[in-house]
Amino acid sequence: MTTGGRIQHAGLRRKIVPAEAAAAMIGPGTTVGMSGFTGAGYPKEVPLALARRIGEANAAGAGFRINVWTGASTAPELDGALAAADGIELRLPYQSDPVSREKINAGTMEYIDVHLSHVAQMVWEGFLGHLDVALVEVSGITADGELIPSSSVGNNKTWIDVADAVILEVNTWQSEALEGMHDIYYGTALPPDRRPIPLTRPGDRIGVPYLRCPPDKVVAVVETDAPDRNTGFKEPDDASVRIAGHIIEFLEHEVRRGRIPRDLLPLQSGVGNVANAVLAELENSPFENLTAYTEVIQDGMLSLLRSGRMTVASATAFSLSPEEAAHLNEVAREYHDRIVLRPQEMSNHPELIRRLGVLAMNGAIEADIYGNINSTHLMGSRIQNGIGGSGDFARNAYVSFFVTPSTAKGGAISSIVPMVSHVDHTEHDVHVVVTEQGLADLRGLAPRKRARVVIDNCAHPDYRPLLDDYVERAQQGAYGRHTPHLLDEALGWHDRFVRTGTMARPL
Amino acid sequence: MTTGGRIQHAGLRRKIVPAEAAAAMIGPGTTVGMSGFTGAGYPKEVPLALARRIGEANAAGAGFRINVWTGASTAPELDGALAAADGIELRLPYQSDPVSREKINAGTMEYIDVHLSHVAQMVWEGFLGHLDVALVEVSGITADGELIPSSSVGNNKTWIDVADAVILEVNTWQSEALEGMHDIYYGTALPPDRRPIPLTRPGDRIGVPYLRCPPDKVVAVVETDAPDRNTGFKEPDDASVRIAGHIIEFLEHEVRRGRIPRDLLPLQSGVGNVANAVLAELENSPFENLTAYTEVIQDGMLSLLRSGRMTVASATAFSLSPEEAAHLNEVAREYHDRIVLRPQEMSNHPELIRRLGVLAMNGAIEADIYGNINSTHLMGSRIQNGIGGSGDFARNAYVSFFVTPSTAKGGAISSIVPMVSHVDHTEHDVHVVVTEQGLADLRGLAPRKRARVVIDNCAHPDYRPLLDDYVERAQQGAYGRHTPHLLDEALGWHDRFVRTGTMARPL
C-alpha cells in the first residue's frame, strides 16, 4: 500500500515509517492527542500497533498505560484496542466504546467527561497538563507541507499546535476531494487577547482549508488505506418517527406564531438513530432552505443536502453509514460549497451557537418531571457515553429539545422519572422534552406546571399513575412546594430497578 | 417633592401624575416589566401604590394579581409589598424577598428561575408571552426625551422596547452624575440577524449612555426621591476571610505557574457577604491593575476602585451599603471613566464572558463530592433565591469558583454532601470549590479523584468520616464505579435533616 501522490512534501515523504516504528515513539505515561470524532478521521494504524506493544508489555507486568485525548468517540481500532490492552490510564473528553465503558465503570480506567467546546481552551489554558504527542489522520500533505484534514477536524488544530511531536497517518481511503471542504480558524487566543469570532452564517468560511504544522515537528508519517468505521443506521423505528413528527408539528406551530422564521434556524442534531430519524422526516416537511450548524453530518443530513432541502451544513465531522460514506467519497467535490468542517471549538462555540440561534436537538437517557436531563449516567453511577456537545448547544440554543423514547428495556425503565439520577442539563436549559408519547413545551412554565405537562405529554401511560401519585404526595409532604420532592422516594425508581430489574412498582 | 430640573423634556413633564394615578393604569392580569437589580434602581412609588390598590381589591375578593418581571431582586417596597397583597401571580427571573419566598414555597405564587442572560432574548423571541407595561426608574430625562438610567440597568432597555406602555419614575435621590456612566447597547437582534458584539475589554463602551423611548409611549411620569434599599454588609466573618485567603493563594499559585496573567483576568463576584469579603481581601493582595466584568458593584469593589487597585469595573447595577451609596452619590463623576453599567444581557452574555476569560466566583448552598453545585434549593424542594447569573458566568468562565462555608445552622447542615438535592451547576462547569476548610481544584480530575479532594479539602472535619464512609461503600456497592452513588442513601443526609433537624448521624 502506498499513499502515492498524497504526500507532496519531500521532507515529510522521507519520514514515512511502518506503524510499529511510530508506535515505538510513544512510551509509558505519554499523553497523546489523537484525531477522531464519532468514528471519522481517527488514526487507524498506530493505535493498533501501539495496543499490540502495550499488550505485550502488560502481559509481562510492565504497567504500560497512556492518556488519550481525542475529539470525541473513535472506533474499536483505537479506543477498543487500547482499552483491551489495559493501555489507557485516562481518557477524555468523550467516548462510546463498549470495552472502555466496561473498564470505566469497573473503576479501572479514568474518564473525564467534558463539554466538547471546552477541551481546546482547557488545554491552551494549561488546565489539563502537558500534551506529548499528536497523532492525527490527514487525507494528504501539500507540497508546502500543509496538512489536508480528513473526515473529521475535532481538536486536531490544537493537538498539532501544542504537542511536542506530531505523528501523521495519511489515509488514501479518504477522498482527495475533501481538500477545500475544511475551515480551520487560526484566530483563537488566550484571554485577554480573544477577539470576536467573525462568523454570522452557518456556511461562512473564516479560516484556511489546511492544518499548519512545522515539518520539523513531524516525527513520523504512516500510510494507511483503512476505512472509517462508518456504522450503519437502523431504519427509523416507530418511536423515532413519532418523536420526529412531534418536533416537526411544533416547528410548524412556532413558524405560524411568528416565533421562528419560515426557513427555520440552523439545526443541530445529536448523534444517533433518533436524531437521524428526525432529519429523515424533515425530508417530508414543508420546510425548505434549511441550514445546519452542528457537530456531525449523519446520513439524514447528507440526504437533505442532496435533495436540496438543506442549503448548507457546518459540522466538525462526518458520521455516515458505509453506503453514504462511499457516495460522499465519490462526489465530495459537489458538496464543497455546501459543507464546512471546522474545529470542534468552533462547531460547538457558545458565542456562535447563541449568535446563530441554533435549534438544538439532543438525546436524553432520562428526564425528570421538572425538566432536568440526564444525558450520561445509568442509575446515577454508570456512565454510558458522555455529555459531548449537548451542553454547548442546549445552553445557548434558540430552542433546546431533548428527545428519548418514553421507556427502555421493554418497559422496565421509564425515561420520565421523579428525579433524574444524574443531572447534565438543568431545568434552566431545557425548553422542550419529546418522547413518542408527545411533546412538553416547558418555556415560561414554573416547576409544578412543568411537572404536569411532562407527565401528561411525555410519560408512558403505564408510568403516568405512578408519577401522578408521586407529584400529589410531594405537593403535600415536601419541605417546600416550589419544586416538591420526597427525599426518601425521589431516586426510589432507580433503586427499585437496580434491586428488582424494573422501575414498575411490584403488585 | 419635585424633580426640579431632572425632566428636561416638556412633553414628558406634562405627563407627571401621582403614583396612585399611574398604579390605576395597571389592571388585573397585567404583565409588568419593572426595573431593579439587587435593590438598586427599582421603582419606589408605583409598586407601593399598586400594592395598596391590589390589597383593597383582594380584601373584597377580587383576585387581583399581576405578573412581575424584573432585572433581578428588588426590595420590600416592590416584591415585599406586592407579595404581601397577594398581588403576584408569576414572578421572574430572580428574587430574594422573604415574603415572596414564603408564598413561592407555600405553592401560592409561581416563580420561574431563569439564567439572567436569557431573559431579554426569551422576551424578544416571544417565549414568555406579552409584556403590557414597563415600569422603570430613571435618574432624569433629557430635553430630547432620552432617559438617563438609574443605579441599575437590568432589563430596562428590553422592557421599554417591547412593552405597550411605559411608566417612568424619575428619582432625584439618584445622583445626577450617573449621567454618562451607562452603556446601552442597541445592536442586539433576533437570529438570523445577530452580529458579533464588539466588546473586547471590560471598560469598552459599545452603545449610548441613554435609554431610548418614544415619548408617545410614556403614559405616566411619577416623581420620587426615595433611596435605594442599600442594605449594609456584615463585617467579613472568619469563614469568609479564610475563603478569601484560599482563593487569593490559589490565584497567586496560578500566576506563578503562568496560567493566569499577573494582573489576573476580569473578576466576577456574586452577590452577598462572602463575595464582598473576597473583594475586601484583594485589597491586601499582591495583585494590581485589576478589572471586573460582573453583575453588581458591591462595597468591596468600589473600595478597590477607590484605592486604584482596580482600574475599571463593568456591571449592570450597584449593590452598596448606605454609606458607600452616599459616597458614590457625592463623587459619581469621578468614577465615570472607571465604571460602566450595561444591560444585564451584556453584563452576563456568554459570548463576552468567554471572550474576556472571566474569573467567576459564586456562592453555593451546597456542593457534592463529585463537584455538582446546588445554588437555589434547600433540601431539594424549597427555593431560596434563584440561580441569577451564576450559570452565565460559571459555564463560560476561565476559572469558575463556588464558595460556601462548610456547614450551616450551627453545624446541623453540611454544605458538602454525597449528592446535592438540586443541581444548578453540573460537574462539567465547576472548576474550584472553596470552603473555610480549604480549596478543591477539580480541573482535570475524574469523579473518584474529585470526591477525594472535595472531602479532604472542603468538608468540615465533623462530616469527613461520614463522607469517607459513604464513598467507601459506594465504591463497593454502586451500579457503576465511574460516579459511585448509593441510590437509597444519596439524599439521605437531606432526609435526615428534614426529619431530625440535623444531617449528623444519630448516635
Side-chain angles (χ1 to χ4, degrees):
Chain A
M1 187 265 307
T2 166
T3 49
R6 292 289 184 101
I7 306 176
Q8 293 288 318
H9 186 276
L12 290 177
R13 228 173 12 239
R14 281 193 295 273
K15 295 190 182 180
I16 294 173
V17 296
E20 289 70 23
M25 299 172 177
I26 299 171
T30 301
T31 297
V32 187
M34 303 204 190
S35 61
F37 201 107
T38 61
Y42 57 94
K44 277 103 181 160
E45 304 293 337
V46 180
L48 278 176
L50 182 61
R52 286 191 295 272
R53 181 178 165 221
I54 290 176
E56 286 162 18
N58 286 346
F64 189 156
R65 307 188 94 183
I66 63 169
N67 304 314
V68 177
W69 303 353
T70 61
S73 56
T74 65
E77 306 99 286
L78 196 164
D79 275 312
L82 287 168
D86 254 335
I88 304 181
E89 176 70 24
L90 172 74
R91 180 74 176 84
L92 64 82
Y94 180 91
Q95 77 86 32
S96 65
D97 176 71
V99 181
S100 298
R101 186 183 299 133
E102 280 310 309
K103 303 241 174 202
I104 294 166
N105 285 309
T108 58
M109 176 172 152
E110 293 208 326
Y111 178 51
I112 311 179
D113 184 22
V114 190
H115 295 300
L116 294 187
S117 85
H118 284 196
V119 182
Q121 71 173 10
M122 290 182 88
V123 170
W124 284 104
E125 288 157 359
F127 296 173
L128 298 179
H130 186 73
L131 184 68
D132 301 301
V133 177
L135 171 55
V136 173
E137 174 179 289
V138 297
S139 63
I141 302 173
T142 69
D144 294 335
E146 292 181 311
L147 311 177
I148 306 166
S150 169
S151 50
S152 70
V153 179
N155 285 313
N156 294 348
K157 170 193 166 290
T158 295
W159 297 168
I160 291 170
D161 281 353
V162 304
D164 295 334
V166 175
I167 299 173
L168 299 174
E169 286 199 15
V170 180
N171 189 342
T172 50
W173 176 84
Q174 302 284 2
S175 169
E176 280 188 283
L178 287 176
E179 185 174 356
M181 198 179 269
H182 309 88
D183 185 58
I184 314 299
Y185 182 59
Y186 276 90
T188 58
L190 284 173
D193 299 317
R194 288 193 184 135
R195 294 290 172 267
I197 302 167
L199 183 149
T200 57
R201 292 281 181 273
D204 283 355
R205 290 177 178 277
I206 58 175
V208 295
Y210 306 111
L211 291 160
R212 297 171 183 158
C213 178
D216 285 355
K217 201 167 171 176
V218 177
V219 295
V221 177
V222 173
E223 298 170 296
T224 183
D225 61 357
D228 279 338
R229 177 183 48 159
N230 294 320
T231 42
F233 290 94
K234 291 184 197 153
E235 268 304 297
D237 60 9
D238 183 53
S240 299
V241 172
R242 286 169 69 184
I243 287 169
H246 298 314
I247 291 177
I248 290 169
E249 188 184 334
F250 172 86
L251 292 172
E252 289 174 341
H253 176 260
E254 291 295 297
V255 169
R256 279 197 303 276
R257 293 290 297 266
R259 289 194 287 243
I260 295 182
R262 274 188 58 188
D263 299 338
L264 302 185
L265 288 162
L267 300 168
Q268 177 259 337
S269 157
V271 179
N273 289 307
V274 176
N276 200 52
V278 173
L279 296 172
E281 289 299 305
L282 280 170
E283 198 69 78
N284 308 312
S285 76
F287 305 118
E288 296 182 352
N289 303 312
L290 298 174
T291 62
Y293 198 82
T294 190
E295 271 177 21
V296 295
I297 295 176
Q298 302 194 146
D299 284 18
M301 198 169 276
L302 200 62
S303 165
L304 290 170
L305 286 163
R306 189 161 47 224
S307 72
R309 197 169 283 271
M310 179 170 280
T311 59
V312 67
S314 165
T316 193
F318 290 104
S319 190
L320 299 171
S321 67
E323 301 73 36
E324 285 289 0
H327 162 74
L328 181 75
N329 269 0
E330 275 169 32
V331 297
R333 209 168 300 278
E334 295 176 19
Y335 288 104
H336 262 204
D337 297 338
R338 302 198 286 140
I339 291 178
V340 186
L341 294 187
R342 312 178 186 280
Q344 72 192 63
E345 59 186 313
M346 292 297 122
S347 65
N348 287 37
H349 203 296
E351 172 175 341
L352 305 179
I353 293 164
R354 178 137 166 178
R355 182 181 301 148
L356 294 170
V358 169
L359 302 174
M361 297 177 279
N362 290 287
I365 287 175
E366 58 183 3
D368 71 26
I369 54 176
Y370 298 116
N372 299 284
I373 296 289
N374 173 9
S375 302
T376 56
H377 283 67
L378 300 180
M379 308 302 140
S381 295
R382 187 176 171 79
I383 195 154
Q384 181 67 5
N385 297 328
I387 194 169
S390 56
D392 298 321
F393 285 96
R395 173 68 63 87
N396 299 291
Y398 193 83
V399 181
S400 77
F401 301 82
F402 281 92
V403 304
T404 175
S406 69
T407 59
K409 299 261 181 202
I413 291 177
S414 174
S415 308
I416 309 295
V417 291
M419 177 186 270
V420 289
S421 60
H422 181 94
V423 178
D424 292 291
H425 308 286
T426 72
E427 44 159 339
H428 313 282
D429 296 331
V430 179
H431 293 145
V432 178
V433 176
V434 196
T435 71
E436 83 289 352
Q437 298 293 322
L439 177 149
D441 179 0
L442 306 180
R443 296 172 301 171
L445 297 185
R448 291 192 310 279
K449 285 192 176 158
R450 287 205 290 267
R452 201 61 267 147
V453 300
V454 167
I455 296 171
D456 289 348
N457 297 9
C458 296
H460 192 279
D462 290 352
Y463 283 98
R464 265 180 225 164
L466 284 174
L467 290 164
D468 283 339
D469 173 58
Y470 179 84
V471 163
E472 200 172 306
R473 288 182 299 113
Q475 292 188 358
Q476 298 307 315
Y479 188 69
R481 295 184 193 163
H482 180 58
T483 308
H485 268 304
L486 300 171
L487 292 162
D488 55 347
E489 287 189 38
L491 300 174
W493 293 32
H494 303 86
D495 194 38
R496 193 153 62 227
F497 175 80
V498 171
R499 292 178 194 277
T500 70
T502 178
M503 285 185 175
R505 198 174 281 169
L507 294 173
Chain B
M1 187 264 309
T2 165
T3 48
R6 292 289 185 100
I7 307 176
Q8 293 287 318
H9 185 276
L12 290 177
R13 226 170 19 235
R14 282 192 296 271
K15 294 189 181 179
I16 296 174
V17 296
E20 289 69 22
M25 298 172 178
I26 298 172
T30 301
T31 298
V32 186
M34 302 202 192
S35 61
F37 201 106
T38 60
Y42 57 94
K44 278 102 180 161
E45 304 292 338
V46 178
L48 278 175
L50 182 60
R52 285 191 295 271
R53 183 178 164 220
I54 290 176
E56 286 162 17
N58 286 347
F64 188 157
R65 307 188 93 182
I66 63 170
N67 304 313
V68 176
W69 303 352
T70 61
S73 56
T74 65
E77 307 99 286
L78 196 166
D79 274 313
L82 287 169
D86 254 334
I88 304 182
E89 177 69 25
L90 172 74
R91 181 74 175 83
L92 65 83
Y94 180 91
Q95 75 86 31
S96 65
D97 176 71
V99 182
S100 297
R101 186 184 298 133
E102 280 310 310
K103 304 242 173 201
I104 294 165
N105 285 309
T108 59
M109 177 172 151
E110 293 207 326
Y111 178 50
I112 311 178
D113 184 21
V114 190
H115 295 301
L116 294 186
S117 85
H118 283 197
V119 182
Q121 73 174 9
M122 290 182 87
V123 170
W124 284 104
E125 288 158 359
F127 295 172
L128 297 179
H130 187 73
L131 184 67
D132 301 301
V133 176
L135 171 54
V136 173
E137 176 180 287
V138 297
S139 64
I141 303 173
T142 70
D144 294 335
E146 292 181 310
L147 310 178
I148 306 166
S150 168
S151 51
S152 71
V153 179
N155 285 312
N156 294 348
K157 170 192 166 292
T158 295
W159 296 168
I160 290 169
D161 281 354
V162 304
D164 295 334
V166 175
I167 299 172
L168 299 174
E169 287 199 13
V170 181
N171 189 344
T172 51
W173 177 84
Q174 302 285 1
S175 169
E176 279 188 284
L178 287 175
E179 185 174 356
M181 198 178 270
H182 309 88
D183 185 57
I184 314 298
Y185 182 60
Y186 276 91
T188 59
L190 284 172
D193 299 317
R194 289 192 185 137
R195 294 289 172 269
I197 302 168
L199 183 148
T200 57
R201 293 281 181 272
D204 283 354
R205 290 178 178 276
I206 59 175
V208 294
Y210 306 112
L211 291 160
R212 296 172 183 157
C213 178
D216 285 355
K217 203 167 170 176
V218 179
V219 294
V221 176
V222 172
E223 298 169 295
T224 184
D225 61 358
D228 278 338
R229 177 184 45 159
N230 294 320
T231 42
F233 289 94
K234 292 183 198 155
E235 268 304 297
D237 60 10
D238 183 53
S240 299
V241 172
R242 288 169 68 184
I243 288 171
H246 298 314
I247 292 178
I248 289 169
E249 188 184 334
F250 172 87
L251 292 172
E252 289 173 341
H253 175 261
E254 291 295 298
V255 169
R256 280 198 302 275
R257 293 289 296 267
R259 289 194 288 244
I260 294 182
R262 274 189 54 190
D263 299 338
L264 303 185
L265 288 163
L267 301 168
Q268 177 259 337
S269 157
V271 179
N273 288 308
V274 177
N276 199 53
V278 173
L279 295 172
E281 289 299 305
L282 279 169
E283 198 70 79
N284 308 314
S285 76
F287 305 118
E288 296 183 351
N289 303 312
L290 298 175
T291 62
Y293 198 82
T294 189
E295 272 177 20
V296 294
I297 295 176
Q298 300 192 146
D299 284 18
M301 198 167 275
L302 200 61
S303 163
L304 290 170
L305 286 163
R306 188 162 46 225
S307 72
R309 196 170 281 272
M310 179 169 281
T311 59
V312 67
S314 164
T316 193
F318 290 104
S319 190
L320 299 171
S321 67
E323 300 72 36
E324 285 289 1
H327 162 74
L328 181 76
N329 269 358
E330 275 168 33
V331 298
R333 210 169 298 279
E334 294 175 20
Y335 288 103
H336 262 205
D337 297 339
R338 302 197 288 139
I339 291 179
V340 186
L341 294 187
R342 311 179 187 280
Q344 72 192 63
E345 61 187 311
M346 292 299 121
S347 65
N348 287 38
H349 203 295
E351 172 175 341
L352 305 180
I353 293 164
R354 178 138 165 176
R355 181 180 302 148
L356 294 170
V358 169
L359 302 174
M361 297 178 279
N362 290 286
I365 287 175
E366 57 183 4
D368 71 26
I369 54 176
Y370 297 116
N372 299 286
I373 296 289
N374 172 9
S375 302
T376 57
H377 284 68
L378 301 180
M379 308 302 138
S381 294
R382 187 176 171 79
I383 195 154
Q384 181 67 5
N385 296 329
I387 193 169
S390 56
D392 298 320
F393 285 96
R395 173 69 63 87
N396 299 291
Y398 193 83
V399 180
S400 77
F401 301 82
F402 281 93
V403 303
T404 175
S406 70
T407 59
K409 299 259 181 201
I413 292 177
S414 173
S415 308
I416 308 296
V417 291
M419 177 186 270
V420 289
S421 59
H422 181 94
V423 178
D424 292 290
H425 307 287
T426 72
E427 45 160 336
H428 313 282
D429 297 331
V430 179
H431 293 146
V432 178
V433 176
V434 195
T435 70
E436 83 288 352
Q437 298 292 321
L439 178 149
D441 179 0
L442 306 180
R443 295 172 301 170
L445 297 186
R448 290 192 310 279
K449 284 193 175 157
R450 287 205 290 268
R452 200 62 268 145
V453 298
V454 167
I455 296 171
D456 289 348
N457 297 8
C458 296
H460 191 279
D462 290 351
Y463 283 98
R464 266 180 225 165
L466 285 174
L467 290 164
D468 283 338
D469 173 59
Y470 178 84
V471 163
E472 201 171 305
R473 288 181 299 112
Q475 291 188 359
Q476 298 308 315
Y479 187 69
R481 296 184 193 162
H482 180 59
T483 308
H485 268 305
L486 300 171
L487 292 162
D488 56 346
E489 287 189 39
L491 299 175
W493 293 30
H494 303 86
D495 195 37
R496 193 153 61 227
F497 175 80
V498 171
R499 293 178 193 277
T500 70
T502 179
M503 285 185 173
R505 197 174 281 168
L507 293 172

